[in-house]
Amino acid sequence: MENLSSLCDQFLKKIHQNIEDNLGDENFSVSNLAENVGLSRSMLHRKLIKLTGKSASDLIKEIRLIRAKKLLENDVATVSEIAYQVGFRSPSYFNKVFKKRYKVSPGDVRKGTIVHEEEQLVSKVQNKMNPFGFSFFKSSRLGLVLILILTLVVMGLYVLEAIHSSKTSIAVLPLHNLTGQADNDYFVDGMHDALIGELGKIGSLRVISRTSTLHFRESDMMLKDIADALGVNRIVEGSVFMADDSVRIIVQLIDVFPEESHVLVNEYSDKLSNVLAVQSSAVRDIAQKIDIELSEKEEQHLANTRTVNPETYKAYLRGMYYLNQGTKESFDTGINYLHQAIKTDPGDPFAYAGLALGYATIGHGQLNAKEAFLQAMLAANKAIKLDPTIDEAYNALSLLYLYQAWDWPMSEEAFENAIANNPNNAIAHAHFAWYHILFDDMKKSIYHAKKAVVIEPLSASYTSWLALLYFHNKEYDEAEFWARKALELKDDVPYGNLTLGWVCLQRKMFHKAIEYHKKLPSGAYWETLLGYAYVKAGQREKAIELWNEFEELSKKQEVNCCYRGMMAAYLGFTDKAFELLNNACDNKSYPVSYINFYPCTEDLRNDSRYNKLMQKMNLPSNEVLISSNQ
C-alpha cells in the first residue's frame, strides 16, 4: 500500500496539473477544480488547507502568478497580454496582486530590471568580503569556496527571516471599560473576545489568544515589552462604551517596531442589535491597514453579519464571562445565563456554542460524565445547525469525540472544521496534537502543539504539553527546554515537572528524577507516576507501598482502573495489569486510550494481549506502529 505522504503528493500533483491545464480560462473556478478532481468544494478546501495551508482560490491565484512571472522574465508578451494568458480578467487587478506577491510591478520584471535574489545575495557577500575590489575572490579557488559557503549561510538566514516574517502577528490587549460601571465588565470582556475571534478567522494573520493577552490587563509595561513577550509586531488597544441600546468601540492599531506608530485610530458605533457589524468593520479596517489580503471566504464572512437580539446577546456574554472564571458557582451562574439567552432567542447559535464548550470542558468537574457529554453533544450540534462556521461548537465536538466517545474519525473531522473556521484556535491545535499521538503521527502532533504555543505563548499548560510530546519522540533536549520554559511561566505546572522527571530517568539521574516527581500534585494519577519513578530508581519497596494503599482504597471507593493497571504493569503484575486495563477500556476510563504514550506500560508491549487491547479501542496495534516507523 502506498504511504500517506505519497498519496498526498499525488493528490497535490493532480491539483497543480488541473490548474495548469486550465490556466488560460478566466472562468475556471474552485467549483470547476473540485468537480475535476471528484471532491465537493468543502472537502477540497479542507484537504488543501490541511496539506498546503492555502485555500483552493488562493492556490489557483498563486499558480497563475508563478506562471505570469516566468512569462514576464522571458518577455514573451506585454503585461496585459500575459495577464489574460494566465486567467486574470483585469490587468489592473493582476498588477495589484502581482505587486503584493512579489513586491515589484510586472512591468519592472518584464524590463529585466530585477536581479534574482540569489544573485543579489552573492553580490552582497562578495562586496562585504572584498570591499576594496581585490581579485583574490575572483581567481582563488579558496575564495570561490568561501563565497559559496557564505552565500549558503546568508541564503539560510534569508529563508529563516522570510519564514519568521511571512505571517503578520497581532495581539488585542484587554479593552478599557468606559461605561463607568464595573457591572459592565462582562460586556467589555465579551467585545475583547469577539475581536480576537474575528481576527483569528483570517488565515494569513497570527492572533494571540485571549488567555495570554489577559496577563496585560492594567499593565504599565511598555508596548514593545508586551509585544516581545507575546511574539507579535502589532498591538490593538481599545475602549468600549455601552449605554441603553447603543455600543461604541474605539480601536487603536499600533505598529510596535522599530518605533511605536499609530496606523489606525477609529471609532465604531451603532445600535446594539448591529454589534456584529461593528466588530466586522473594525476587523476589516485592521486587515486593510496591515495590508492583509482577505480570501473570498473571509470577505464574505465579514460582509454577511446578522443582527442580534440585544437581551440575548447580553445574556450570552454574561454566561461566557462566568464560565471563564472556572469555579463551581460561576459555572452554574454561567449556564443559567446561557439558558436564558436561548429562551429569549432559540435561533441564536452563540449560546448553544457556549453551552457546548462549557459542558465539554468545564462541566466534567461539575456534572457526572454522562450528563455532561449528552448536554454538550446536543448543544454543539444545535449550534452548528444554526451556524456551520462557529468554531467553538466544533471545539466541543472534537473534545467529546476524542476523550469520551472514542470516535476517532469524527474527532478528526471536528478538529479540522474548528481549525478551518478559525486557524488561530489554540484549543483545537493543542488537543489535535493529542489526537495524532494516538496514531503515533509525531510530526503532526508536534506541529499542532507548536501552533498552540505560538498562539497561546503564555500558557504554561500548552508549553508543558509540547515538552511531553518531545519526550515521547525521544528528543530529550527539546523536552527539557520546553519543560523549563513552562516552569518559568508557572513554577508548579505539573507536566513541566513530570517531563523533567522523565528526562532525568532516561539520563539515569534517579535522585533528581524523584525530586521532580515529588513536586507533582497529590492524587492517584500523580502517585501512579511517582511509583514508576521509584521502580526505575531501584526503590521498588516504595512503589509497593503505594500499590498497597491503592488496593486498600479500592475496597472502599472507586479508584481509576487505568491508574491501577499502569501501576501493576511497572511492578510486573502482568495478568493483573491486563485485567485492570481491560476494565478501564470497557468503561472508557481516561487515560487508558493513551497507554502507549506512558512509559509506565513499556513492559507490556511485547505481550499479544497488549495488541488486542489496542485493537479493542480501534487504535493501531503496537506491531503496526513499529512497522510503520521502520
Side-chain angles (χ1 to χ4, degrees):
M1 178 181 286
E2 293 178 283
N3 62 39
L4 183 60
S5 63
S6 174
L7 292 173
C8 291
D9 288 342
Q10 287 182 27
F11 171 75
L12 289 176
K13 285 179 182 176
K14 184 178 180 181
I15 291 291
H16 277 255
Q17 188 59 53
N18 207 274
I19 296 171
E20 290 277 358
D21 291 344
N22 293 277
L23 212 56
D25 182 3
E26 65 181 30
N27 295 313
F28 184 71
S29 66
V30 174
S31 296
N32 299 134
L33 178 61
E35 183 179 350
N36 291 350
V37 297
L39 298 173
S40 67
R41 278 185 61 130
S42 59
M43 189 176 293
L44 175 64
H45 174 78
R46 287 197 299 271
K47 290 197 71 160
L48 286 177
I49 288 291
K50 182 177 180 181
L51 295 174
T52 69
K54 294 182 175 66
S55 67
S57 59
D58 288 340
L59 189 61
I60 291 171
K61 181 168 63 178
E62 180 168 331
I63 290 174
R64 282 176 166 157
L65 289 173
I66 290 170
R67 173 65 68 83
K69 184 170 182 286
K70 288 181 180 178
L71 294 173
L72 288 164
E73 287 171 343
N74 292 326
D75 196 18
V76 299
T78 66
V79 171
S80 295
E81 288 169 341
I82 289 173
Y84 292 126
Q85 281 182 36
V86 297
F88 285 93
R89 291 177 178 166
S90 163
S92 61
Y93 177 70
F94 167 70
N95 272 273
K96 176 183 175 183
V97 295
F98 187 97
K99 190 168 184 178
K100 186 175 184 63
R101 171 73 171 80
Y102 293 108
K103 310 302 180 189
V104 65
S105 72
D108 284 340
V109 173
R110 182 169 173 263
K111 292 172 187 173
T113 57
I114 305 303
V115 181
H116 288 294
E117 291 167 348
E118 295 89 344
E119 295 171 353
Q120 291 177 328
L121 287 168
V122 172
S123 177
K124 286 179 182 177
V125 172
Q126 289 177 327
N127 290 338
K128 285 184 178 181
M129 292 184 60
N130 191 19
F132 300 108
F134 295 150
S135 60
F136 170 77
F137 290 101
K138 293 182 180 179
S139 58
S140 166
R141 182 174 297 176
L142 175 61
L144 291 173
V145 171
L146 287 173
I147 288 173
L148 177 60
I149 292 172
L150 284 172
T151 300
L152 291 172
V153 170
V154 174
M155 287 181 70
L157 293 173
Y158 176 87
V159 170
L160 287 174
E161 183 181 357
I163 292 171
H164 179 72
S165 61
S166 63
K167 220 172 195 186
T168 299
S169 54
I170 195 167
V172 182
L173 298 185
L175 305 177
H176 298 289
N177 182 354
L178 293 184
T179 67
Q181 300 176 25
D183 290 347
N184 287 329
D185 283 347
Y186 80 91
F187 188 86
V188 177
D189 281 4
M191 292 300 97
H192 178 231
D193 289 353
L195 283 179
I196 291 173
E198 290 301 299
L199 284 166
K201 293 178 185 294
I202 300 175
S204 56
L205 192 59
R206 179 167 64 84
V207 184
I208 301 303
S209 70
R210 166 187 178 277
T211 310
S212 287
T213 62
L214 288 179
H215 285 260
F216 303 100
R217 189 191 295 277
E218 307 298 334
S219 172
D220 58 359
M221 288 175 62
M222 299 289 290
L223 284 185
K224 181 180 181 298
D225 295 328
I226 294 175
D228 278 337
L230 295 175
V232 299
N233 47 31
R234 290 180 173 89
I235 294 283
V236 172
E237 292 186 309
S239 307
V240 178
F241 179 83
M242 180 184 66
D244 300 324
D245 190 32
S246 66
V247 59
R248 186 172 84 237
I249 302 177
I250 300 170
V251 170
Q252 301 179 65
L253 173 64
I254 303 160
D255 269 345
V256 181
F257 303 107
E259 294 182 358
E260 286 183 25
S261 63
H262 286 68
V263 295
L264 172 68
V265 179
N266 213 346
E267 181 178 311
Y268 307 86
S269 60
D270 208 327
K271 295 185 297 184
L272 189 53
S273 59
N274 292 325
V275 66
L276 302 186
V278 169
Q279 296 162 7
S280 291
S281 295
V283 168
R284 191 183 294 107
D285 286 351
I286 290 170
Q288 184 179 20
K289 283 295 182 181
I290 57 181
D291 206 23
I292 291 289
E293 185 177 351
L294 299 174
S295 69
E296 181 181 346
K297 176 185 173 183
E298 291 160 357
E299 286 277 15
Q300 289 176 351
H301 172 75
L302 292 173
N304 297 334
T305 57
R306 59 183 177 86
T307 59
V308 299
N309 180 313
E311 294 310 311
T312 299
Y313 193 67
K314 288 179 186 177
Y316 158 70
L317 292 184
R318 281 193 174 98
M320 297 310 296
Y321 177 79
Y322 283 104
L323 281 185
N324 286 331
Q325 293 178 24
T327 66
K328 170 68 171 67
E329 296 74 19
S330 65
F331 174 83
D332 292 339
T333 303
I335 292 295
N336 287 337
Y337 272 120
L338 292 172
H339 279 296
Q340 181 183 320
I342 290 169
K343 186 176 180 180
T344 308
D345 184 359
D348 191 289
F350 288 151
Y352 288 107
L355 278 175
L357 204 51
Y359 284 129
T361 55
I362 310 162
H364 295 312
Q366 323 298 340
L367 306 170
N368 69 64
K370 186 175 181 181
E371 182 184 354
F373 175 80
L374 291 174
Q375 295 278 13
M377 289 293 288
L378 287 170
N381 284 310
K382 181 67 174 178
I384 290 168
K385 185 176 180 181
L386 292 168
D387 182 357
T389 69
I390 196 158
D391 60 296
E392 293 90 347
Y394 289 115
N395 277 357
L397 284 180
S398 62
L399 300 180
L400 293 167
Y401 286 130
L402 177 62
Y403 298 119
Q404 294 188 56
W406 291 4
D407 190 330
W408 315 130
M410 291 297 289
S411 177
E412 181 181 27
E413 182 179 326
F415 276 122
E416 289 177 345
N417 281 327
I419 292 169
N421 284 292
N422 184 345
N424 290 282
N425 188 327
I427 293 174
H429 282 295
H431 291 275
F432 205 10
W434 291 100
Y435 165 86
H436 288 297
I437 273 289
L438 293 174
F439 302 93
D440 206 41
D441 191 335
M442 292 309 303
K443 184 176 180 180
K444 289 181 181 177
S445 181
I446 289 175
Y447 167 81
H448 285 288
K450 277 185 171 180
K451 289 283 286 187
V453 169
V454 167
I455 298 166
E456 189 77 273
L458 300 186
S459 169
S461 294
Y462 291 170
T463 304
S464 65
W465 291 4
L466 177 59
L468 278 175
L469 295 173
Y470 273 120
F471 176 86
H472 184 66
N473 205 38
K474 297 182 171 58
E475 296 181 65
Y476 302 125
D477 290 342
E478 285 290 320
E480 180 182 3
F481 171 83
W482 288 104
R484 294 193 184 283
K485 180 72 174 174
L487 290 164
E488 287 174 12
L489 294 169
K490 189 172 185 288
D491 60 12
D492 62 348
V493 62
Y495 287 115
N497 282 314
L498 178 63
T499 303
L500 291 179
W502 283 356
V503 168
C504 286
L505 289 177
Q506 282 293 326
R507 294 171 176 168
K508 303 190 183 307
M509 300 164 61
F510 298 121
H511 179 73
K512 196 70 176 173
I514 298 297
E515 282 185 10
Y516 282 122
H517 278 79
K518 285 187 173 180
K519 292 180 181 180
L520 299 175
S522 59
Y525 172 69
W526 301 108
E527 288 172 7
T528 299
L529 301 175
L530 173 61
Y532 171 74
Y534 280 142
V535 169
K536 299 300 285 186
Q539 301 178 34
R540 180 182 170 82
E541 70 284 354
K542 291 185 179 180
I544 290 289
E545 286 179 20
L546 289 174
W547 167 259
N548 291 334
E549 289 175 12
F550 272 38
E551 291 306 285
E552 281 301 311
L553 185 62
S554 68
K555 296 174 183 177
K556 303 172 187 175
Q557 65 185 60
E558 184 178 344
V559 178
N560 188 308
C561 283
C562 183
Y563 304 161
R564 293 168 63 203
M566 289 195 295
M567 187 174 280
Y570 60 67
L571 286 171
F573 308 151
T574 305
D575 291 341
K576 186 66 174 177
F578 280 113
E579 175 192 331
L580 290 166
L581 290 173
N582 272 289
N583 188 307
C585 181
D586 292 339
N587 291 287
K588 294 184 177 176
S589 299
Y590 184 83
V592 68
S593 56
Y594 288 93
I595 57 170
N596 223 36
F597 174 80
Y598 288 90
C600 307
T601 60
E602 58 197 357
D603 292 339
L604 301 181
R605 293 173 193 167
N606 291 326
D607 193 305
S608 61
R609 290 172 291 181
Y610 188 84
N611 290 330
K612 290 178 182 177
L613 183 62
M614 297 298 288
Q615 290 164 4
K616 192 175 180 180
M617 295 184 283
N618 291 319
L619 292 172
S621 68
N622 205 40
E623 293 171 349
V624 171
L625 292 177
I626 291 170
S627 63
S628 66
N629 288 325
Q630 287 178 343

